[in-house]
Amino acid sequence: MTFKKPFLVLVLLFGTLLAQAQKYDFVVAKDGSGNFKTVQEAINAVPDFRKNTTTIFIKNGTYKEKLTLPTTKTAVKMIGEDVKKTILTFDDYASKKNRFGEEMGTTGSTSFFVFGDDFTAENLTFENSSGPVGQAVAVRIDGDKVMFQNCRFLGFQDTLYPHGERSRQYYKNCYIEGTTDFIFGWSTAVFENCEIFAKKGGNFITAASTLEGAPYGFVFLNCRLTGDAPEKSFYLGRPWRPFAKTVFLNTYLGKHIKPEGWHNWNKPEAEKQVLYAEYNSSGPGTSKTERVKWATQLTAEQAKDYTLEKIFKDWNPLAVKPAAQVGK
C-alpha cells in the first residue's frame, strides 16, 4: 500500500499535536499549529484558581502582546521552546500617552504583569522593546511563589520590577540587562547563578524598596555582574525606600562597578537603615577599602543566613511537587 505525501504530512502533524497535548495542557504557536496563536488567549483559557498546574508551551516566535496573568490564574507554568527564540515583548514606556492623553507611568509601561501565585516560567525571553526612552518595565511581579528559570529579561531603565510587598521570587540561571535601577521593587527576590548585564548609559543596578522589618530584600547568589558600561560607572544599588536590603554573595563584579559600591540616593538618613552587604565578592569591581562606610562585609557565619530555606521559609522553589499540591 502506498500513501501520498499530503496524507503522510497530515499523519505526522497529527502525531506531533497528539504528543504535545499529552505533555502540555496548551500549546501556543503563531503559525496556528497549536491550540492558540497568542499567549494571552492561552492564559485566559486557564480555569480560575486551579490547584493543579496548567502548563503552557510556547513555540518559537516573537509575540508582541501586552500580557496579564490575573490573580485568578494560579499555578500556571509557561515553557518556551528556545529561550533566545521565544520572545514575549511590548513597547510601552512611562512617558508614552494613552488614548486619553495621559502618561502611562512606570507601572503602566509594563509588558507582562504577573499577579497570579505559583507562577513558573522557563526558557523564555521577556522584553520591553521601547528602547532608551526612560522607565520601561519588561515584567512586574506581584504574585507569591514565582520562579523564573533559564529566562532572559531585556530592557533599559526599570527592566525587572519585583513589586509585591509579600511576594517571594526565585530567579535561577537567568540573564537580566538594563541601564538604571533595572532591578527594583519591594519583593523578596533571590537571583542564583544569574548574569546581570549593565548597559552603557546607566549607573545603578538595583533600587530596592524593602519593607521596614522585612528580613530579606534582593539576594544575589553566585551571580556574575557583567556589562558594556565604562569602567567604574555603576553602583551596586541605591535605596528607593529607606529600608532597602540588597546582598551579593559569592558574586563576580566586573570592572564597571564603582569602588564605593553603593549610593544613598541623596538620603543621608537611609545610611542608618539600609542593609547593603557583600560576602566573598570577586573580580575587578571588588573593594574592601573603598566601599562606603555604611555598607557591610558579611562574615562567614552571617552568610549562612542566606539560604533558600531561610529566605523563603515554607516555600521550596526547587522541590518537585505532585501537581495536586501546587497552589494554596
Side-chain angles (χ1 to χ4, degrees):
M1 181 181 294
T2 59
F3 297 99
K4 293 184 178 180
K5 189 174 181 180
F7 177 79
L8 291 174
V9 170
L10 286 174
V11 170
L12 290 172
L13 179 60
F14 177 77
T16 300
L17 290 173
L18 182 61
Q20 290 174 346
Q22 291 172 341
K23 190 174 183 181
Y24 307 107
D25 294 298
F26 301 129
V27 175
V28 179
K30 293 176 69 70
D31 62 5
S33 61
N35 305 103
F36 305 100
K37 290 184 177 181
T38 70
V39 177
Q40 191 64 57
E41 285 178 302
I43 292 173
N44 295 344
V46 177
D48 292 339
F49 298 109
R50 281 201 77 194
K51 298 300 183 184
N52 296 348
T53 301
T54 305
T55 57
I56 301 173
F57 181 73
I58 307 172
K59 289 189 174 184
N60 289 342
T62 298
Y63 299 82
K64 187 175 181 182
E65 304 179 51
K66 195 173 178 76
L67 299 170
T68 299
L69 181 81
T71 56
T72 59
K73 308 300 183 181
T74 53
V76 172
K77 184 174 185 177
M78 290 171 37
I79 304 168
E81 183 176 0
D82 185 302
V83 65
K84 291 188 177 181
K85 297 178 181 179
T86 313
I87 302 169
L88 312 184
T89 184
F90 210 73
D91 57 0
D92 282 343
Y93 52 93
S95 61
K96 186 177 180 179
K97 302 294 180 64
N98 63 21
R99 67 179 60 188
F100 298 106
E102 306 155 340
E103 291 191 354
M104 290 185 167
T106 303
T107 289
S109 74
T110 302
S111 299
F112 183 22
F113 294 94
V114 179
F115 296 114
D117 291 344
D118 292 297
F119 173 73
T120 301
E122 296 180 5
N123 305 330
L124 287 166
T125 290
F126 302 93
E127 179 185 44
N128 189 305
S129 57
S130 60
V133 291
Q135 298 163 315
V137 179
V139 185
R140 171 180 144 163
I141 305 98
D142 285 73
D144 187 29
K145 295 181 284 185
V146 172
M147 177 175 174
F148 294 90
Q149 188 164 2
N150 193 37
C151 289
R152 299 193 305 157
F153 301 84
L154 309 183
F156 286 81
Q157 183 175 352
D158 293 0
T159 304
L160 180 61
Y161 195 0
H163 178 269
E165 293 180 353
R166 306 296 178 184
S167 171
R168 293 167 291 177
Q169 302 168 27
Y170 181 55
Y171 300 78
K172 186 175 178 63
N173 299 329
C174 290
Y175 170 89
I176 306 162
E177 69 171 31
T179 52
T180 298
D181 303 335
F182 61 96
I183 302 173
F184 74 112
W186 281 265
S187 306
T188 296
V190 175
F191 303 85
E192 186 167 10
N193 297 328
C194 293
E195 180 178 1
I196 314 299
F197 189 92
K199 299 165 75 168
K200 58 186 177 182
N203 41 25
F204 301 96
I205 294 174
T206 67
S209 358
T210 316
L211 286 179
E212 182 177 2
Y216 300 98
F218 297 159
V219 178
F220 296 83
L221 303 174
N222 308 310
C223 291
R224 289 181 58 83
L225 273 52
T226 64
D228 61 7
E231 186 173 349
K232 299 179 181 179
S233 63
F234 260 83
Y235 293 94
L236 294 170
R238 61 176 177 172
W240 187 14
R241 296 293 185 272
F243 294 93
K245 287 183 169 67
T246 303
V247 180
F248 292 86
L249 298 97
N250 302 312
T251 292
Y252 172 87
L253 311 182
K255 64 182 180 180
H256 60 294
I257 301 301
K258 286 178 171 284
E260 56 267 43
W262 308 90
H263 192 279
N264 67 6
W265 209 330
N266 302 319
K267 304 171 184 177
E269 70 281 3
E271 296 179 9
K272 301 176 182 179
Q273 299 163 324
V274 302
L275 174 62
Y276 282 161
E278 296 171 69
Y279 174 73
N280 196 33
S281 296
S282 62
T286 60
S287 175
K288 293 185 179 180
T289 59
E290 297 182 75
R291 289 290 193 257
V292 293
K293 294 180 180 179
W294 40 276
T296 301
Q297 293 288 336
L298 299 177
T299 65
E301 191 63 29
Q302 290 171 323
K304 292 179 181 177
D305 288 331
Y306 292 87
T307 64
L308 297 186
E309 183 179 11
K310 290 186 177 181
I311 296 170
F312 291 140
K313 302 300 183 184
D314 63 336
W315 176 50
N316 180 0
L318 299 178
V320 178
K321 303 176 184 178
Q325 294 183 17
V326 177
K328 292 185 176 180

